[in-house]
């Protein structure tokens, strides 16, 4: 269950920020090298705090998004959730790019993913 939640948080935020960046600056979506982030214990703690906050934000807006009466309303709800997610990441001390880089590395690295999960469980 916790792994599923982690995967959803990683995917949801990554997609949200990618979409936000694409809307703000289409040139930024051109192929680029993945940002490398030095993954320290402090960065992982920040990432875990942000991930937990993103999960809460996603849960908060899920029902509202599902009950949207129009595509425009759904888009507004999604934008509001994205804005809160970016704020949560920045409040945790990371940039959206750092968060996404760690999320991408965690998707590819089982050991890193387990470290994140154990930190998240320790916080709960």
């Amino acid at each position: 269950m916790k792994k599923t939640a982690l995967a959803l948080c990683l995917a949801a935020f990554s997609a949200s920020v990618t979409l936000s960046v694409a809307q703000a600056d289409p040139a930024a979506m051109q192929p680029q090298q993945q940002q490398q982030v030095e993954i320290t214990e402090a960065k992982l703690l920040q990432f875990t705090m942000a991930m937990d906050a993103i999960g809460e934000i996603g849960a908060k807006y899920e029902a509202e998004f599902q009950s949207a009466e129009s595509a425009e309303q759904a888009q507004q709800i999604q934008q509001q959730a994205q804005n809160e997610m970016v704020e949560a990441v920045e409040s945790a001390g990371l940039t959206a790019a750092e968060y996404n880089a760690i999320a991408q590395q965690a998707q590819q690295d089982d050991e890193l993913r387990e470290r994140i999960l154990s930190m998240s469980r320790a916080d709960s």
Side-chain angles (χ1 to χ4, degrees):
M1 180 73 172
K2 197 74 164 170
K3 285 187 181 186
T4 303
L6 172 62
L8 290 174
C9 288
L10 298 178
F13 183 72
S14 183
S16 298
V17 172
T18 300
L19 179 61
S20 296
V21 170
Q23 290 171 343
D25 184 8
M29 291 307 296
Q30 294 176 354
Q32 297 178 357
Q33 292 279 15
Q34 177 182 331
Q35 178 181 351
Q36 292 297 314
V37 175
E38 180 182 349
I39 301 180
T40 62
E41 287 300 309
K43 287 280 185 208
L44 283 181
L45 181 58
Q46 291 170 316
F47 179 86
T48 302
M49 290 169 43
M51 183 185 73
D52 291 344
I54 287 168
E56 290 174 14
I57 293 165
K60 174 179 144 183
Y61 283 100
E62 183 178 3
E64 203 174 322
F65 183 77
Q66 295 297 326
S67 64
E69 295 177 8
S70 68
E72 293 81 22
Q73 186 181 21
Q75 188 174 12
Q76 287 176 337
I77 294 166
Q78 181 182 17
Q79 186 63 47
Q80 189 173 357
Q82 288 171 357
N83 291 342
E84 285 189 34
M85 289 177 181
V86 170
E87 288 175 18
V89 168
E90 291 172 351
S91 292
L94 297 172
T95 65
E98 288 173 319
Y99 182 92
N100 282 335
I102 294 170
Q104 288 175 349
Q105 288 174 260
Q107 289 173 341
Q108 298 167 1
D109 183 338
D110 292 338
E111 183 180 322
L112 177 59
R113 188 169 43 252
E114 286 303 317
R115 285 175 62 198
I116 292 169
L117 285 171
S118 68
M119 290 179 91
S120 182
R121 280 188 287 253
D123 289 344
S124 329

